[in-house]
Amino acid sequence: MPVLLFLIDTSASMNQRTHLGTTYLDIAKGAVETFMKLRGRDPASRGDRYMLVNFEDVPLGIKAGWKESHATFMTELRNLQATGLTTIGQSLRTAFDLLNLNRLVTGIDNYGQGRNPFFLEPSIIIAITDGNKLTSGSGVQDELHLPLTTPLPGSELTKEPFRWDQRLFSLVLRIPGHASVEPEPLGGVPPDDSAITPMCEVTGGRSYSVFSQRMLNQCLESLVQKIQSGVVINFEKTGPDPPPIEDAPPEVKSGPQLWHCCHKLIYVRPNPKTGVPIGHWPIPEAFWPDQNSPTLPPRSAHPHVHFSCLDAEPMVIDKVPFDKYELEPSPLTQYILERKSPHTCWQVFVCNSAKYSDLGQPFGYLKASTALNCVNLFVMPYNYPVLLPLLDDLIKVHKFKATLKWRQSFDNYLKTMPPYYIGPLKKALRIMGAPNLLADNEYGLSYSVVSYLKKLSQQSKIEYDRLIASIGKKPPPEPGIKVRWRGGGAISLAQRRDFNQLLQSITGESASMPQELNSKEFQGFHLALLNKSLKPQSLRNPYDIPRSQLLDQLSRMRRNLLNTSVCSLRGQDLDQLHSVPIAQMGNYQDFLKAAPQPLRDADPEQPKRLHTFGNPFKLDKKGMMIDEADEFVTGPQNKGKRPQGDSSPMQGGGPKRRRCMSPLLRLGRAYTPPVTPPASPRPTSDAESSDSEPDFIINHLNENHYSPERSSDLDPDSPGPALTPLDTLENHVVDATPRQPAALGEEEAEDDDEEEVEVVDEDEVHQMEEVEEDRYPSPSALKRQILNECMEVNNQLRALITKEIRKPGRHYEKIFHLLKQIQGTLDTRLIFLQNIIKEAARFKKRVLIEQLENFLEEIHNRANNMNHMNAL
């Protein structure tokens, strides 16, 4: 997981403008965004971590650290302002400490037990600056100096502030303010001569001197290629130079050459399966460890590896593991490849790694690849020319049965090997199949060193948590500039006795000065600083305020002066509550955070509707139902039910219903027919001569006797027929003969041929006719009323069926039970079924859709049969 830390110069000199019309700080921000786009093309960039540090003091200078998200990084990058000094030394130290903060907790450095190249956290620091003078609070510096004191625990264990897997690259902006007439130089980008360049070279990086936007893009593409997993090593030649190659031109140069000392990277490739580097052998320390030593000597950040130019034979045993690392192209690799000897190698050493030898024993070798396209560093066991023949004899001669002589030779080798190699050697022997050659006693550091490292780990963990918590906090407001009293020094001119004479001699005027001046009068005073967050208030003419509003304006001015209320926006006045700047109009989330907690919803089951701020089409699509009229109703339908006492929508007692285009979504209840008998039975001739449609409605009501009390809220499990079945509705089409009410009782005639005629008064006849008109409305009104109530029943059925469709499983019996209770004409039922099929298609209920289509076809067939019978 590479760590990419951007160090942005925020000194005041970054405000200078180029011939492009942008400032250096704008170019730096654009360079960071361009780099991230170029890096995003590589699939390996998914694990990158970005950090942002500027030239402010700690912790304000850390804008994005270990815990900040990518959005926070981009926000802080855009909000950078160039207002400080060029404290690049302090900022570099802050960047290195931020990267090294967690290394003691993870144990990645492995102090005192060898350097493991496969324990690494590759980091690249990209500094973007203008290369001007290094200014600080103490003055102007000519050279770059990093502070020696740091709050990082364990920093004394390494001589340098950086580590061997951290490199510094610098982009020094030299873009002029006026367009240059001279053509740009071709070739690579030259290094800069600023003070940061030596620091880049020490860490294994380099600097770029940028003179144009094209060169900047070229540098960014080069930096993207520099992101490699590896560690930096110092290679130095020891001993005489190798003999010259035959048929090679004689070398003219004498003395030290470039390939004698190289400061380059070795690539540590991750395992393709796990994505983590795997290794076996460490690079030895530059000291012989002593278990009785109370402390550890400090190590250098980059190990110094010496190579001998004497040709040796590369040694490899099949069952003994080794590590292979490729060297970055350098003068050393070029020289080795030019010799064209892939079958010989140069052994490598670390000085003072052995107990009785200054140069130490070889731990590996440098060898050109067989194809002569690269040079590899092979890391082997310590003093491998002695160990590998012993292990070869153990495998081939002794068959893993060690003899006494072999055991003595092996013990003599162990005495010359650093103790921290015992662990890796035991793992290698276990891989070979000889796990019992070494005893179980593990090498360990002294007790004082172990306890010291544990203490450092705990302290670094505490410092890590403290720094993470402090990132992102705003600095406390400065009280002001304290007035200093320079007492004890020279007396000021105002305190001299001859001040009046001096003033008169200079200006020709005399001034009356107090006889005694109190020099400590302003000792505790502070000069106020400019508050940039406060906006200037526009003055108003008091004569423009009406007399009736003077008191209100006075109280408003008092609130503004005392600042007793907290506004939602920074620097906002109460009078400017609705005068929001355009740049802050989109901060709706900040407004919601400052707003008071809203009350809970009256209906918690109703789905919450998303706010449509900034997007009027941003709707919550959960629970949305679309009908054929393209009108949507969100949430579960039919939440509010009418009381049972309201039997007709014509009565104005109930709440006003929302208008709906679809007849299937209208609410209401069925009609309860009257059961009181009429004054006289209707003759058959009147029934035949009257319209068949009102007779159908009356027949329908008298046959079913539907009432809200019997419906029990449309529960299909309730006893008794709650609604009219489809079969009964189909019979209504054929049976158009009216029936007499069932509650006639003893007044009903026993024989149809006999009729009883009652002689009544004329006033009673008129009274009975009025009662009859009230009980039986007109056919058109009754038709409209029954149609509305049928639609209410169907709408309730639709809500219940939709709820059943949304339930998981394939239990559809209840759905078809409810479908048989649909009321209305044939067209109404067909439209209802088609909408139910659409609703099932939304939830992808394929089995239910097939059954509904069969049910729809059955209704069609039944209706056709009934029409055929009516035609006959």
Side-chain angles (χ1 to χ4, degrees):
M1 181 185 294
V3 179
L4 304 175
L5 190 148
F6 292 94
L7 179 61
I8 308 298
D9 186 356
T10 54
S11 61
S13 58
M14 292 290 286
N15 287 321
Q16 57 181 317
R17 292 191 178 273
T18 65
H19 66 90
L20 303 175
T22 56
T23 63
Y24 275 2
L25 185 60
D26 296 334
I27 293 177
K29 295 177 181 179
V32 174
E33 295 180 359
T34 304
F35 178 87
M36 297 176 67
K37 291 178 181 178
L38 294 175
R39 175 60 179 167
R41 300 174 183 175
D42 190 358
S45 63
R46 297 179 180 177
D48 292 350
R49 182 184 297 275
Y50 291 95
M51 299 183 182
L52 182 63
V53 178
N54 65 354
F55 281 13
E56 296 183 60
D57 295 335
V58 181
L60 302 179
I62 304 175
K63 299 302 181 181
W66 290 99
K67 296 293 185 180
E68 280 68 33
S69 62
H70 179 73
T72 305
F73 175 88
M74 297 303 297
T75 302
E76 294 294 340
L77 176 66
R78 297 188 184 100
N79 294 337
L80 289 180
Q81 296 180 358
T83 57
L85 301 175
T86 313
T87 56
I88 191 171
Q90 178 65 43
S91 303
L92 273 176
R93 186 73 196 211
T94 301
F96 286 129
D97 290 347
L98 178 63
L99 294 175
N100 301 331
L101 197 58
N102 210 24
R103 295 178 74 96
L104 276 176
V105 179
T106 58
I108 195 174
D109 287 324
N110 202 28
Y111 287 106
Q113 298 180 352
R115 303 170 186 256
N116 296 316
F118 44 89
F119 287 169
L120 81 164
E121 191 174 52
S123 305
I124 290 182
I125 301 177
I126 301 175
I128 305 179
T129 179
D130 57 355
N132 285 341
K133 293 293 184 178
L134 307 180
T135 57
S136 62
S138 59
V140 181
Q141 302 174 358
D142 295 332
E143 297 180 355
L144 178 62
H145 296 284
L146 271 68
L148 299 178
T149 58
T150 175
L152 180 66
S155 59
E156 67 276 3
L157 295 176
T158 307
K159 298 178 182 179
E160 294 86 357
F162 51 86
R163 301 296 183 264
W164 66 342
D165 53 358
Q166 300 169 359
R167 291 177 293 164
L168 172 63
F169 295 89
S170 177
L171 296 175
V172 183
L173 303 178
R174 302 291 186 182
I175 303 176
H178 298 279
S180 177
V181 183
E182 300 178 358
E184 297 182 2
L186 300 177
V189 181
D192 196 76
D193 57 352
S194 58
I196 197 175
T197 300
M199 191 66 188
C200 296
E201 295 176 353
V202 167
T203 59
R206 60 158 297 184
S207 64
Y208 299 89
S209 186
V210 181
F211 291 95
S212 64
Q213 186 67 36
R214 185 193 64 83
M215 296 179 68
L216 179 61
N217 296 335
Q218 184 179 352
C219 296
L220 294 176
E221 293 177 357
S222 175
L223 284 176
V224 171
Q225 302 298 326
K226 298 286 185 181
I227 303 177
Q228 299 288 342
S229 177
V231 293
V232 179
I233 295 179
N234 280 322
F235 291 98
E236 298 181 7
K237 183 186 73 69
T238 182
D241 289 349
I245 308 173
E246 298 179 358
D247 300 335
E251 296 182 1
V252 181
K253 295 182 179 180
S254 61
Q257 300 181 17
L258 293 177
W259 64 271
H260 287 177
C261 182
C262 286
H263 189 70
K264 291 298 179 179
L265 190 76
I266 62 170
Y267 300 123
V268 182
R269 308 294 185 187
N271 188 8
K273 296 182 180 179
T274 60
V276 179
I278 297 177
H280 302 87
W281 306 104
I283 296 177
E285 299 278 1
F287 61 90
W288 181 265
D290 185 8
Q291 292 189 358
N292 298 323
S293 176
T295 58
L296 286 175
R299 63 160 60 155
S300 59
H302 300 151
H304 292 270
V305 175
H306 297 263
F307 59 92
S308 174
C309 297
L310 299 176
D311 291 340
E313 183 180 356
M315 301 178 63
V316 173
I317 299 179
D318 294 338
K319 295 186 179 181
V320 178
F322 63 89
D323 299 332
K324 179 181 176 181
Y325 305 103
E326 179 185 349
L327 270 69
E328 185 182 13
S330 63
L332 175 61
T333 59
Q334 182 181 358
Y335 183 80
I336 294 176
L337 293 176
E338 287 177 354
R339 295 180 61 86
K340 297 180 181 180
S341 55
H343 302 293
T344 60
C345 64
W346 291 352
Q347 294 180 346
V348 291
F349 309 83
V350 172
C351 290
N352 302 320
S353 60
K355 192 173 184 180
Y356 303 107
S357 176
D358 294 338
L359 184 60
Q361 303 298 331
F363 68 92
Y365 51 83
L366 293 174
K367 177 183 174 297
S369 63
T370 307
L372 294 177
N373 54 5
C374 64
V375 177
N376 297 318
L377 170 65
F378 288 81
V379 179
M380 310 291 290
Y382 193 79
N383 198 6
Y384 71 93
V386 176
L387 177 63
L388 293 186
L390 287 175
L391 296 179
D392 193 25
D393 292 343
L394 179 66
I395 297 173
K396 297 179 180 179
V397 179
H398 304 293
K399 306 298 181 182
F400 294 102
K401 294 181 180 180
T403 61
L404 181 60
K405 184 178 180 180
W406 187 93
R407 175 71 69 175
Q408 290 177 356
S409 302
F410 187 69
D411 292 340
N412 293 333
Y413 163 77
L414 293 178
K415 293 178 182 179
T416 61
M417 182 188 71
Y420 48 81
Y421 270 90
I422 294 178
L425 183 58
K426 288 185 65 176
K427 294 180 181 178
L429 294 176
R430 189 182 304 114
I431 295 174
M432 290 174 52
N436 299 324
L437 288 179
L438 287 177
D440 293 336
N441 52 345
E442 289 284 346
Y443 161 74
L445 301 171
S446 62
Y447 176 76
S448 60
V449 173
V450 172
S451 60
Y452 176 66
L453 292 177
K454 289 183 178 179
K455 182 180 178 181
L456 289 180
S457 177
Q458 296 174 358
Q459 292 178 357
S460 62
K461 178 63 176 176
I462 296 174
E463 181 67 19
Y464 174 80
D465 296 336
R466 185 194 66 80
L467 184 62
I468 292 301
S470 63
I471 295 176
K473 292 185 178 180
K474 295 183 179 180
E478 298 181 4
I481 303 175
K482 186 177 181 180
V483 178
R484 297 181 181 179
W485 173 63
R486 301 183 180 274
I491 301 176
S492 64
L493 293 177
Q495 295 178 355
R496 292 180 58 173
R497 295 181 179 179
D498 56 347
F499 174 75
N500 292 334
Q501 299 177 0
L502 292 174
L503 183 63
Q504 187 175 3
S505 63
I506 296 174
T507 62
E509 299 178 357
S510 61
S512 59
M513 294 294 295
Q515 296 296 329
E516 294 183 359
L517 290 176
N518 187 4
S519 59
K520 299 182 179 180
E521 182 179 359
F522 303 100
Q523 183 177 2
F525 276 58
H526 286 77
L527 298 180
L529 297 178
L530 178 62
N531 191 354
K532 298 179 181 180
S533 62
L534 295 180
K535 296 182 179 179
Q537 303 294 332
S538 58
L539 300 178
R540 300 179 181 178
N541 191 352
Y543 296 99
D544 293 340
I545 303 174
R547 184 176 182 180
S548 59
Q549 299 179 5
L550 283 176
L551 293 179
D552 297 337
Q553 181 66 23
L554 183 62
S555 61
R556 189 180 301 112
M557 293 169 60
R558 184 181 293 109
R559 287 198 304 268
N560 293 339
L561 178 63
L562 300 178
N563 197 15
T564 56
S565 62
V566 180
C567 298
S568 58
L569 297 178
R570 187 179 63 178
Q572 187 179 12
D573 196 346
L574 288 176
D575 294 342
Q576 301 176 349
L577 184 60
H578 301 287
S579 300
V580 183
I582 296 177
Q584 299 182 9
M585 283 184 178
N587 297 337
Y588 187 64
Q589 298 298 332
D590 298 339
F591 174 77
L592 289 180
K593 293 178 182 178
Q597 186 70 20
L599 298 176
R600 66 177 180 85
D601 295 335
D603 193 355
E605 296 182 2
Q606 187 77 13
K608 295 183 179 179
R609 180 183 177 89
L610 296 178
H611 66 82
T612 58
F613 182 80
N615 186 2
F617 303 102
K618 186 178 181 182
L619 300 175
D620 188 5
K621 296 183 179 180
K622 296 181 179 179
M624 183 182 296
M625 300 171 60
I626 308 296
D627 62 357
E628 69 279 355
D630 292 334
E631 179 176 351
F632 63 87
V633 179
T634 58
Q637 307 299 314
N638 292 341
K639 282 297 179 181
K641 295 183 178 180
R642 296 179 55 197
Q644 296 179 0
D646 297 340
S647 60
S648 175
M650 300 301 175
Q651 300 175 3
K656 185 177 180 180
R657 293 195 302 271
R658 175 184 175 185
R659 179 185 177 186
C660 184
M661 299 298 296
S662 174
L664 295 178
L665 299 178
R666 295 179 182 171
L667 302 176
R669 287 201 179 270
Y671 173 71
T672 304
V675 296
T676 306
S680 60
R682 299 180 60 184
T684 307
S685 60
D686 296 337
E688 292 176 354
S689 61
S690 62
D691 190 6
S692 62
E693 193 168 6
D695 295 338
F696 158 71
I697 296 174
I698 298 172
N699 188 16
H700 160 66
L701 293 173
N702 292 334
E703 183 178 358
N704 292 283
H705 301 287
Y706 176 79
S707 64
E709 288 79 13
R710 296 180 59 188
S711 65
S712 67
D713 293 338
L714 297 177
D715 189 2
D717 298 331
S718 60
L723 297 172
T724 306
L726 288 174
D727 299 334
T728 311
L729 288 177
E730 291 171 356
N731 295 333
H732 294 165
V733 181
V734 181
D735 186 8
T737 305
R739 299 182 182 180
Q740 300 296 331
L744 292 177
E746 294 84 358
E747 297 178 4
E748 185 179 4
E750 296 179 357
D751 192 5
D752 295 335
D753 298 333
E754 298 178 358
E755 294 182 359
E756 296 180 1
V757 179
E758 297 181 1
V759 180
V760 292
D761 192 6
E762 186 177 355
D763 296 336
E764 293 180 359
V765 172
H766 290 294
Q767 186 176 1
M768 294 296 293
E769 290 178 355
E770 293 177 359
V771 173
E772 185 177 358
E773 291 179 358
D774 294 338
R775 290 178 179 175
Y776 297 99
S778 63
S780 59
L782 187 58
K783 175 185 176 182
R784 184 169 58 254
Q785 184 176 358
I786 296 303
L787 182 62
N788 291 336
E789 292 169 353
C790 289
M791 292 306 103
E792 291 183 19
V793 175
N794 291 345
N795 193 23
Q796 295 177 2
L797 285 174
R798 177 181 179 130
L800 293 175
I801 294 173
T802 304
K803 187 181 296 184
E804 292 295 328
I805 291 176
R806 293 179 180 178
K807 291 182 180 179
R810 296 187 177 181
H811 304 287
Y812 305 138
E813 295 83 2
K814 192 173 182 179
I815 295 177
F816 287 95
H817 179 76
L818 295 173
L819 287 175
K820 293 181 179 180
Q821 301 175 7
I822 305 172
Q823 295 189 13
T825 60
L826 178 62
D827 295 337
T828 303
R829 286 181 284 161
L830 295 180
I831 293 175
F832 188 94
L833 273 175
Q834 290 174 358
N835 286 317
I836 293 300
I837 292 175
K838 291 181 181 178
E839 187 70 19
R842 285 182 56 204
F843 295 91
K844 299 180 180 180
K845 302 275 188 176
R846 299 180 180 177
V847 179
L848 178 59
I849 292 173
E850 294 179 359
Q851 297 180 8
L852 289 173
E853 290 177 350
N854 295 335
F855 187 71
L856 183 62
E857 185 178 359
E858 181 182 351
I859 294 179
H860 275 290
N861 296 334
R862 190 179 303 173
N864 293 334
N865 295 334
M866 298 302 298
N867 293 336
H868 180 67
M869 294 177 63
N870 291 335
L872 295 177

